[in-house]
Each structure stands twice: as C-alpha cells, then as structure tokens.
Amino acid sequence: MTIASHSNPLTGPQPAGAASGPELQRCEQCGRVGVRGFRVLPATEYTKPITLCASKAACRKRWPKPHHEIA
Ligand SMILES: [Zn+2]
C-alpha cells in the first residue's frame, strides 16, 4: 500500500464536495457502487431520479434475493 504521491502535504486531499472527478454512484436496486456502468432514470412528477445499473440483466444477478419483476 502506498500513499497517493500526488497528495500535497500542505493542502491534503480535496475536501468533500469539491472533487472534480467522477462521482461514485450507487445502484438503487442491487446496491452496486462505482463510477461507470450506470444509467439514471429521469425524475418524473412522482419520483426522483433513480440510479440503476446500465445492464439490467447484470444488475438483477446481483440482487440478494429474487423479487417480483419491476416493469
Ligand atoms: Zn444494479
């Protein structure tokens, strides 16, 4: 394990909320966390935006238990 060499000892890591890199996303169905391979369902009148795996089939395989089909 090595400490990130580009970290400036004077300023330290970037404060939370100021990062300009890709943000971690979390699938709301299977709980997968990452920065790629996600799609976001746009908000509707009744729901807020929903983050899901881009691959629906792969997402379902990660579900801890089988659930009723959603849509
Ligand atoms: Zn998923």
Side-chain angles (χ1 to χ4, degrees), residues 31-70:
R32 185 172 70 91
V33 176
V35 296
R36 297 180 60 185
F38 291 93
R39 63 196 171 105
V40 178
L41 301 183
T44 71
E45 185 177 352
Y46 306 104
T47 68
K48 59 185 179 181
I50 300 175
T51 302
L52 299 174
C53 294
S55 173
K56 192 173 185 177
C59 180
R60 289 182 61 184
K61 290 180 181 177
R62 297 188 189 92
W63 293 6
K65 294 180 182 179
H67 291 286
H68 292 294
E69 183 79 14
I70 299 178

